[in-house]
């Protein structure tokens, strides 16, 4: 695994923590930008149940960040850990994208503004793309540097 990949894992972990902290500490503020206004009163209010679910979502992001952090150092077991962690994150992102897009097309039932739904779906795409690329397109990224073939070890005639 290259140092660039390790740096990418660290950046992803930091962004997850920075993003989840406000979800947990101030969910009403976070949701105030996303909740669609009431069609009758025109006022947006965050129900307490939504705030709690938003905190749960933030806690899940933090929980999934722990194995991501554990994948940063090189070790013998790191390759398999990275593959499993990335496949898990990718599966979650695919399911979240499907859920978000279904609500984009049925936004009257979601309670969220169209802008919030679209932005959530779009902001999730870089992580989904990164995880899919590392697992399915270039799985050598998940390997330790010591296990990658070096240029010097290639056979020459």
């Amino acid at each position: 695994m290259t140092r660039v990949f390790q740096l990418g894992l660290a950046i992803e972990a930091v962004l997850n923590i920075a993003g989840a902290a406000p979800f947990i500490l101030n969910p009403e503020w976070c949701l105030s930008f996303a909740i669609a206004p009431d069609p009758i009163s025109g006022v947006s209010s965050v129900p307490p149940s939504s705030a709690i679910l938003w905190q749960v979502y933030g806690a899940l992001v933090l929980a999934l960040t722990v194995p991501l952090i554990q994948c940063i150092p090189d070790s013998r077991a790191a390759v398999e850990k990275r593959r499993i962690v990335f496949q898990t994150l990718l599966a979650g992102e695919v399911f979240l994208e499907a859920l978000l897009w279904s609500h984009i097309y049925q936004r009257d039932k979601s309670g969220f503004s169209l802008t919030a739904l679209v932005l959530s779906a779009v902001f999730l795409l870089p992580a989904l793309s990164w995880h899919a690329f590392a697992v399915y397109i270039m799985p050598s990224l998940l390997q330790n540097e010591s296990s990658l073939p070096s240029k010097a070890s290639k056979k020459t005639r």
Side-chain angles (χ1 to χ4, degrees), residues 9-149:
L9 289 172
I11 290 170
E12 184 176 358
V14 167
L15 290 174
N16 283 353
I17 293 166
F23 290 3
I24 293 171
L25 299 174
N26 202 347
E28 293 85 2
W29 176 78
C30 295
L31 286 171
S32 69
F33 298 102
I35 301 284
D38 181 87
I40 297 169
S41 68
V43 176
S44 296
S45 63
V46 178
S49 58
S50 295
I52 290 170
L53 289 174
W54 200 248
Q55 287 177 313
V56 168
Y57 175 69
L60 289 173
V61 169
L62 289 178
L64 288 170
T65 302
V66 172
L68 193 66
I69 291 169
Q70 292 173 335
C71 289
I72 295 173
D74 274 337
S75 71
R76 290 183 184 156
V79 176
E80 189 59 24
K81 281 183 200 175
R82 291 177 190 133
R83 189 181 63 74
I84 291 169
V85 168
F86 269 47
Q87 286 177 332
T88 301
L89 293 173
L90 180 61
E93 291 153 358
V94 167
F95 292 135
L96 285 171
E97 281 289 342
L99 181 67
L100 288 166
W101 283 103
S102 72
H103 284 291
I104 287 169
Y105 291 109
Q106 298 177 359
R107 63 182 166 270
D108 297 338
K109 297 178 182 179
S110 75
F112 287 101
S113 69
L114 177 60
T115 302
L117 291 168
V118 170
L119 286 176
S120 295
V122 168
F123 287 157
L124 196 56
L125 287 175
L128 186 151
S129 301
W130 163 240
H131 296 136
F133 179 78
V135 171
Y136 297 110
I137 297 171
M138 195 164 223
S140 63
L141 286 173
L142 303 174
Q143 295 179 3
N144 297 333
E145 282 184 342
S146 60
S147 65
L148 291 174

